[in-house]
Amino acid sequence: MQFIKGLTRKKQSSSSASAETRKKEHDYYLENGSAVLEELLALCDGNCRIPIRYFTATDIERAIKHSENKLYIADGHMVTGSLDKRLVFIRTFPGYFRNHFNNIFRDIAITAQMSHLKNVLRLVGCCIEFEEPVMVYEYVEATSLYALLFEKDNHDDETRKSLLSWGSRLRIAHKVASAVVFLHTEFTTPIIHRDLKPSNVIVDQNSGVAKLLNFSLSVSLPQGKLEVVKDVVCGTYGYVAPEYSEWCMITQKIDVYSFGVILLQLLTRRNMTTLHLKDRDMYYIVDPSDSDFKMLNIEEIHVMDIADPAILEEHGIKIRQQLEDCWDLVKKCTAYKGEERPYMIEVAKELSRIHHCFRALTLCRN
């Protein structure tokens, strides 16, 4: 259990030490509990769709006592534990994680409000008796989308081929898009994720369903406002929209941009990002894995030249129109100006249409 730093309590040598530990846990409980409640009140007037179960520090320590299985995600990892005779994921946070930008309490509150959705990793509960809260999720046999796309040795060929078939990629894209649509439309004011990327998405290896997680950087737009300006840019390089990186301007469209980069990576299975050079009025696709740091002018690219060869081997030119439609969606989502990008609900509808076309094609072939 050495990899769960800060969670293990040393054995107390006296009753006074035990009393001190209990007092600390009680103080953390009050401090962290009030912070979670404050977030829930702000999001939904305290009416949580899925009740949050609170676990004790002892529950968590027992649950992870013999665990060695990890699932790596953005900003750390989750470990497998056992609570009430069922497997769960237990997510801890490194000491540096709680700061002015990462809001663990908001993560708990938002995840609880979205846990009825199949495309969000369901929150079972949390423990607030440690200095850094611990989140407990449902267990699924899963891998991160990042590992699936870019880490070659994590899966056997058959598993990867199944999870990254063309139909599976379309389903993954649609599930992630639908989760973001919920964020943007189903709360009192739109919530902007701000850190959409493959390492914040896991894929259920049994069902193929993509699940979004990690809402710690998310922010709500002010009531009646379409944008908000922050002092500092948060997120991950390569996924941050131009207007956000340049002017710290947050709108729904910055999530659209980040999603567009994810869609590009699903299409190519290369760790590509986009680059806008305003002084040249040029828009490039950049492949950091290329030793020459190749920059490709997006207007000169043909989708059949950059699509993952595995997709073409699977279906050939029969899905050419679907590939072109996805490529067109990538360009729309990553447009330089936010107002030129579609809203996520439009993106989700287009992905649903493309997936429907693929299913119709598959049925015809069978």
Side-chain angles (χ1 to χ4, degrees), residues 143-246:
T143 181
S144 76
L145 181 57
Y146 183 90
L148 191 60
L149 288 172
F150 307 127
E151 295 179 0
K152 296 180 180 180
D153 299 327
N154 277 19
H155 306 280
D156 61 78
D157 291 342
E158 286 304 311
T159 300
R160 192 184 298 276
K161 185 176 180 181
S162 172
L163 293 176
L164 286 180
S165 67
W166 178 235
S168 295
R169 296 185 205 215
L170 289 173
R171 283 194 299 274
I172 289 170
H174 184 256
K175 289 295 183 183
V176 174
S178 298
V180 181
V181 169
F182 191 95
L183 270 179
H184 288 185
T185 62
E186 295 299 321
F187 288 90
T188 307
T189 63
I191 294 176
I192 314 304
H193 189 284
R194 283 206 298 178
D195 200 22
L196 294 175
K197 56 184 177 182
S199 52
N200 277 330
V201 176
I202 66 169
V203 180
D204 187 325
Q205 295 183 183
N206 295 318
S207 66
V209 173
K211 297 176 182 287
L212 183 64
L213 72 157
N214 192 5
F215 303 94
S216 59
L217 284 181
S218 64
V219 294
S220 297
L221 295 183
Q223 192 78 38
K225 301 290 185 181
L226 296 177
E227 63 184 50
V228 64
V229 176
K230 294 289 185 179
D231 295 333
V232 179
V233 175
C234 296
T236 303
Y237 179 78
Y239 300 88
V240 177
E243 70 274 22
Y244 184 37
S245 63
E246 292 177 21

Side-chain angles (χ1 to χ4, degrees), residues 8 36 59 93 102 124 239-240 249 265 275 278 293 322:
T8 308
V36 172
D59 291 333
F93 298 88
N102 290 294
V124 175
Y239 300 88
V240 177
M249 185 183 297
Q265 295 171 342
L275 176 65
K278 190 167 57 173
F293 201 73
Q322 295 161 38

Side-chain angles (χ1 to χ4, degrees), residues 53-197:
R53 182 175 174 184
Y54 290 97
F55 296 98
T56 66
T58 302
D59 291 333
I60 299 300
E61 289 172 350
R62 287 174 179 168
I64 63 175
K65 187 174 183 179
H66 302 293
S67 179
E68 294 183 358
N69 296 326
K70 306 179 191 179
L71 174 61
Y72 289 92
I73 56 173
D75 299 310
H77 59 258
M78 300 187 290
V79 298
T80 305
S82 178
L83 282 169
D84 299 333
K85 298 181 179 180
R86 67 170 175 174
L87 287 176
V88 292
F89 277 135
I90 295 176
R91 181 181 173 205
T92 61
F93 298 88
Y96 64 80
F97 191 82
R98 192 202 288 203
N99 52 42
H100 179 66
F101 313 113
N102 290 294
N103 188 331
I104 303 170
F105 311 111
R106 168 149 285 220
D107 196 355
I108 293 171
I110 292 176
T111 307
Q113 285 298 94
M114 298 179 70
S115 284
H116 63 293
L117 303 175
K118 290 183 178 180
N119 50 353
V120 171
L121 188 61
R122 187 170 72 86
L123 183 71
V124 175
C126 64
C127 175
I128 52 178
E129 292 183 1
F130 296 106
E131 183 176 3
E132 304 297 336
V134 173
M135 296 177 71
V136 180
Y137 299 92
E138 67 172 335
Y139 174 80
V140 291
E141 192 72 30
T143 181
S144 76
L145 181 57
Y146 183 90
L148 191 60
L149 288 172
F150 307 127
E151 295 179 0
K152 296 180 180 180
D153 299 327
N154 277 19
H155 306 280
D156 61 78
D157 291 342
E158 286 304 311
T159 300
R160 192 184 298 276
K161 185 176 180 181
S162 172
L163 293 176
L164 286 180
S165 67
W166 178 235
S168 295
R169 296 185 205 215
L170 289 173
R171 283 194 299 274
I172 289 170
H174 184 256
K175 289 295 183 183
V176 174
S178 298
V180 181
V181 169
F182 191 95
L183 270 179
H184 288 185
T185 62
E186 295 299 321
F187 288 90
T188 307
T189 63
I191 294 176
I192 314 304
H193 189 284
R194 283 206 298 178
D195 200 22
L196 294 175
K197 56 184 177 182

